[in-house]
Amino acid sequence: MKRMLIVDDHEVLRDGVKRVFEKQPGTATSERRALSRRPLRLVREQDWDVVVLDISLGDRSGLEVLKELKQIRPQLPVLILSMHSEEQFARRAFKAGAAGYVTKDSPQRSWLRR
């Protein structure tokens, strides 16, 4: 069972992302958080298989959070979820350590590639 941490500042989106991934065999999403500070603590205290992180959080940049996550757990895969086009932010996300980058308007199947 894969443990996934979903970090987005919109509850509806967190719930939607959870539903997409829960349809996949062997995936559990046990935490969904809106603010950037709590997920950092959760990553320090618990083992996660993947983090889905919004690039635009309400209280700070997802890219800043990504850099901190990678300092805490360098091997933890982080999938960036963004409303911004790939050309605009993907390169910066990968440079900061993201394992993947998908836009919120991407088809679900593109989120699930392994």
Side-chain angles (χ1 to χ4, degrees), residues 91-103:
R91 188 171 298 144
R92 289 170 47 195
F94 285 121
K95 188 175 179 179
Y101 185 98
V102 295
T103 57

PDB file of all heavy atoms in Angstrom, residues 91-103:
ATOM      1  N   ARG A  91      10.379  23.521 -15.519  1.00  0.00           N
ATOM      2  CA  ARG A  91      11.847  23.483 -15.424  1.00  0.00           C
ATOM      3  C   ARG A  91      12.312  23.853 -14.014  1.00  0.00           C
ATOM      4  O   ARG A  91      13.193  23.212 -13.449  1.00  0.00           O
ATOM      5  CB  ARG A  91      12.454  24.426 -16.455  1.00  0.00           C
ATOM      6  CG  ARG A  91      13.963  24.295 -16.543  1.00  0.00           C
ATOM      7  CD  ARG A  91      14.554  25.050 -17.705  1.00  0.00           C
ATOM      8  NE  ARG A  91      14.008  24.491 -18.948  1.00  0.00           N
ATOM      9  CZ  ARG A  91      13.719  25.200 -20.021  1.00  0.00           C
ATOM     10  NH1 ARG A  91      13.928  26.500 -20.024  1.00  0.00           N
ATOM     11  NH2 ARG A  91      13.239  24.652 -21.098  1.00  0.00           N
ATOM     12  N   ARG A  92      11.692  24.878 -13.445  1.00  0.00           N
ATOM     13  CA  ARG A  92      12.051  25.275 -12.074  1.00  0.00           C
ATOM     14  C   ARG A  92      11.708  24.178 -11.076  1.00  0.00           C
ATOM     15  O   ARG A  92      12.461  23.927 -10.133  1.00  0.00           O
ATOM     16  CB  ARG A  92      11.347  26.575 -11.708  1.00  0.00           C
ATOM     17  CG  ARG A  92      11.933  27.751 -12.475  1.00  0.00           C
ATOM     18  CD  ARG A  92      11.156  29.036 -12.351  1.00  0.00           C
ATOM     19  NE  ARG A  92      10.764  29.393 -11.000  1.00  0.00           N
ATOM     20  CZ  ARG A  92       9.846  30.323 -10.746  1.00  0.00           C
ATOM     21  NH1 ARG A  92       9.262  30.980 -11.727  1.00  0.00           N
ATOM     22  NH2 ARG A  92       9.533  30.613  -9.513  1.00  0.00           N
ATOM     23  N   ALA A  93      10.567  23.515 -11.287  1.00  0.00           N
ATOM     24  CA  ALA A  93      10.155  22.441 -10.380  1.00  0.00           C
ATOM     25  C   ALA A  93      11.149  21.273 -10.442  1.00  0.00           C
ATOM     26  O   ALA A  93      11.560  20.744  -9.404  1.00  0.00           O
ATOM     27  CB  ALA A  93       8.755  21.966 -10.731  1.00  0.00           C
ATOM     28  N   PHE A  94      11.540  20.880 -11.651  1.00  0.00           N
ATOM     29  CA  PHE A  94      12.489  19.773 -11.780  1.00  0.00           C
ATOM     30  C   PHE A  94      13.850  20.148 -11.194  1.00  0.00           C
ATOM     31  O   PHE A  94      14.496  19.332 -10.539  1.00  0.00           O
ATOM     32  CB  PHE A  94      12.622  19.338 -13.235  1.00  0.00           C
ATOM     33  CG  PHE A  94      11.436  18.543 -13.712  1.00  0.00           C
ATOM     34  CD1 PHE A  94      10.681  18.989 -14.782  1.00  0.00           C
ATOM     35  CD2 PHE A  94      11.065  17.351 -13.092  1.00  0.00           C
ATOM     36  CE1 PHE A  94       9.580  18.264 -15.223  1.00  0.00           C
ATOM     37  CE2 PHE A  94       9.960  16.631 -13.516  1.00  0.00           C
ATOM     38  CZ  PHE A  94       9.218  17.082 -14.587  1.00  0.00           C
ATOM     39  N   LYS A  95      14.260  21.377 -11.390  1.00  0.00           N
ATOM     40  CA  LYS A  95      15.526  21.834 -10.831  1.00  0.00           C
ATOM     41  C   LYS A  95      15.497  21.781  -9.300  1.00  0.00           C
ATOM     42  O   LYS A  95      16.508  21.511  -8.657  1.00  0.00           O
ATOM     43  CB  LYS A  95      15.826  23.255 -11.318  1.00  0.00           C
ATOM     44  CG  LYS A  95      17.195  23.739 -10.944  1.00  0.00           C
ATOM     45  CD  LYS A  95      17.488  25.096 -11.563  1.00  0.00           C
ATOM     46  CE  LYS A  95      18.878  25.557 -11.149  1.00  0.00           C
ATOM     47  NZ  LYS A  95      19.220  26.839 -11.738  1.00  0.00           N
ATOM     48  N   ALA A  96      14.328  22.031  -8.715  1.00  0.00           N
ATOM     49  CA  ALA A  96      14.174  22.001  -7.258  1.00  0.00           C
ATOM     50  C   ALA A  96      14.017  20.579  -6.717  1.00  0.00           C
ATOM     51  O   ALA A  96      14.008  20.387  -5.509  1.00  0.00           O
ATOM     52  CB  ALA A  96      12.975  22.845  -6.839  1.00  0.00           C
ATOM     53  N   GLY A  97      13.879  19.590  -7.618  1.00  0.00           N
ATOM     54  CA  GLY A  97      13.829  18.206  -7.150  1.00  0.00           C
ATOM     55  C   GLY A  97      12.539  17.464  -7.398  1.00  0.00           C
ATOM     56  O   GLY A  97      12.366  16.341  -6.921  1.00  0.00           O
ATOM     57  N   ALA A  98      11.604  18.037  -8.134  1.00  0.00           N
ATOM     58  CA  ALA A  98      10.337  17.348  -8.411  1.00  0.00           C
ATOM     59  C   ALA A  98      10.578  16.097  -9.246  1.00  0.00           C
ATOM     60  O   ALA A  98      11.441  16.071 -10.124  1.00  0.00           O
ATOM     61  CB  ALA A  98       9.373  18.274  -9.148  1.00  0.00           C
ATOM     62  N   ALA A  99       9.784  15.069  -8.979  1.00  0.00           N
ATOM     63  CA  ALA A  99       9.843  13.827  -9.755  1.00  0.00           C
ATOM     64  C   ALA A  99       8.937  13.917 -10.978  1.00  0.00           C
ATOM     65  O   ALA A  99       9.116  13.169 -11.938  1.00  0.00           O
ATOM     66  CB  ALA A  99       9.434  12.645  -8.887  1.00  0.00           C
ATOM     67  N   GLY A 100       7.947  14.811 -10.937  1.00  0.00           N
ATOM     68  CA  GLY A 100       7.019  14.974 -12.042  1.00  0.00           C
ATOM     69  C   GLY A 100       6.283  16.294 -11.926  1.00  0.00           C
ATOM     70  O   GLY A 100       6.296  16.936 -10.871  1.00  0.00           O
ATOM     71  N   TYR A 101       5.640  16.673 -13.037  1.00  0.00           N
ATOM     72  CA  TYR A 101       4.909  17.940 -13.088  1.00  0.00           C
ATOM     73  C   TYR A 101       3.686  17.713 -13.962  1.00  0.00           C
ATOM     74  O   TYR A 101       3.812  17.306 -15.119  1.00  0.00           O
ATOM     75  CB  TYR A 101       5.807  19.014 -13.708  1.00  0.00           C
ATOM     76  CG  TYR A 101       5.231  20.411 -13.710  1.00  0.00           C
ATOM     77  CD1 TYR A 101       5.586  21.324 -12.739  1.00  0.00           C
ATOM     78  CD2 TYR A 101       4.344  20.824 -14.703  1.00  0.00           C
ATOM     79  CE1 TYR A 101       5.075  22.621 -12.747  1.00  0.00           C
ATOM     80  CE2 TYR A 101       3.828  22.114 -14.721  1.00  0.00           C
ATOM     81  CZ  TYR A 101       4.198  23.000 -13.735  1.00  0.00           C
ATOM     82  OH  TYR A 101       3.689  24.270 -13.747  1.00  0.00           O
ATOM     83  N   VAL A 102       2.503  17.941 -13.405  1.00  0.00           N
ATOM     84  CA  VAL A 102       1.271  17.848 -14.189  1.00  0.00           C
ATOM     85  C   VAL A 102       0.437  19.097 -13.945  1.00  0.00           C
ATOM     86  O   VAL A 102       0.459  19.673 -12.854  1.00  0.00           O
ATOM     87  CB  VAL A 102       0.428  16.582 -13.875  1.00  0.00           C
ATOM     88  CG1 VAL A 102       1.155  15.329 -14.281  1.00  0.00           C
ATOM     89  CG2 VAL A 102       0.031  16.525 -12.423  1.00  0.00           C
ATOM     90  N   THR A 103      -0.268  19.499 -14.975  1.00  0.00           N
ATOM     91  CA  THR A 103      -1.161  20.645 -14.821  1.00  0.00           C
ATOM     92  C   THR A 103      -2.536  20.139 -14.383  1.00  0.00           C
ATOM     93  O   THR A 103      -2.898  18.993 -14.657  1.00  0.00           O
ATOM     94  CB  THR A 103      -1.278  21.439 -16.135  1.00  0.00           C
ATOM     95  OG1 THR A 103      -1.717  20.575 -17.168  1.00  0.00           O
ATOM     96  CG2 THR A 103       0.054  22.070 -16.513  1.00  0.00           C
TER      97      THR A 103
END
